[in-house]
Structures are given as structure tokens and as C-alpha cells.
Amino acid sequence: KAGVTQTPRYLIKTRGQQVTLSCSPISGHRSVSWYQQTPGQGLQFLFEYFSETQRNKGNFPGRFSGRQFSNSRSEMNVSTLELGDSALYLCASSTGLAGGGGPDTQYFGPGTRLTVL
Amino acid sequence: GQNIDQPTEMTATEGAIVQINCTYQTSGFNGLFWYQQHAGEAPTFLSYNVLDGLEEKGRFSSFLSRSKGYSYLLLKELQMKDSASYLCAVPGGYQKVTFGTGTKLQVIP
């Protein structure tokens, strides 16, 4: 079974630009979560999508948005980039079917390394 | 909210045993995850504990005490390839997982 794939792997942008990152989950997984990882803050939860609906979100500004398509692929968009947005962006997939919204084991993609100049 | 504490760095010798501790505070408990992350790579799942006690998986074991808000990851017979960051994480609702900042383990010969 193929793992989680993310594109692009590396990206360089300048302040004020916008960026779109893509994630394809493991086949059969319907939940996609996005995380930002920086050396100082560690892994921080951005949002989670299941069957094209955002079910949960973290404490990030509205410049960070996402969506999920009917084939479970997900995209994340960051508008008006700031220097502090430089980070590794990881997506994780899971079945999303744990009862009562309970936790599933998440499988991570290799990440997109975003550098904002 | 949720808060997780784990040591920033540890060093251990090849062949030895190392214990990586994690303390957490959470408003609702849904279990605890451990992930391993090699430099420049994605985190990979190691274990998930939801009940108190020790769970063993080969060279790796994970322990949980819900009453103390405490977990540890035990690595036996350390190998050089175990040099990595180890992340403790507690899930909230719908995959909202809070991660600790990770413990960077260096295994030396």
C-alpha cells in the first residue's frame, strides 16, 4: 500500500505571496490532518478534514486554510506569507473512523519544507 | 487545554537501556502516543497507550500512569539507528493531537 505523499517537497516563497500544498492520504483513509513543525514550537496542529468537512482546527490565523476533495486528497493554503511561516508542513492520514471522534493512529507524509524570504 | 513536557535531549550508549519520560496535563484523556522522528524525516508511529501499565513491542516498551499524568518510552539494546527524536503526544477530539517538543536521543558507541 502506498504511503502518504506530499507535494511539493521543497518550496521557496517571498513575503506576501501565497502557497498551496498538497497531500494524498493512504488509500482508504478518509481523515487528513495538517501540522506545522518548527524547531522552537515542535509539531502544532493546524486542522483536520474528514469526508470533505473540517472537523477540528488549531490556533492558527485565518491565513491558513484547507480543503479536502471527494477522493480524500487535501490541500492547504497559506496566504500573505510571513517570515515566521517558514517551517516543515506535515500531513497525516488515518481512517478517521474511530468511535466518538476518538483517536486513530496517524501516518505521516514526508512533509513540505517551506522557506519564506 | 493540553500541556506536555519531555526532556529536550538525552545521550545513551549503544547496547544500553534508556528511558524517555513524558508528563502531560489534559482536560480529557484519550490515550497517549509515542512517535519516532529521524532528522529530516516524517514521524513514525511507535505506540499507543490508553490503559495503565507497560506495553512491550520488541526492543521498545511504553508505560502509562493515568493518575500521575505520566508516561515513559523504554528502549532496550540501543542501536545507533535509534538516534532520533521521540515525540510524546496526546489526542483531543477528531485527530487534534498535541505533541510535545520531542526528546532528541543521541546514541554513542
Side-chain angles (χ1 to χ4, degrees), chain B residues 3-17:
Chain B
N3 190 46
I4 298 173
D5 285 308
Q6 46 181 135
T8 305
E9 293 182 346
M10 297 182 72
T11 301
T13 306
E14 192 176 13
I17 299 173

Side-chain angles (χ1 to χ4, degrees), chain A residues 24-80:
Chain A
S24 292
I26 292 170
S27 177
H29 283 192
R30 292 161 62 185
S31 169
V32 174
S33 301
W34 288 90
Y35 293 86
Q36 181 194 67
Q37 187 173 34
T38 58
Q41 299 294 320
L43 266 163
Q44 292 189 287
F45 176 82
L46 281 154
F47 29 67
E48 187 254 3
Y49 286 87
F50 177 83
S51 291
E52 302 178 68
T53 300
Q54 185 184 88
R55 295 196 298 186
N56 214 336
K57 62 180 293 187
N59 300 322
F60 279 80
R63 300 186 296 108
F64 292 81
S65 63
R67 58 178 176 167
Q68 187 180 35
F69 302 94
S70 58
N71 62 357
S72 294
R73 189 177 70 85
S74 176
E75 287 182 347
M76 191 193 95
N77 186 274
V78 187
S79 62
T80 320

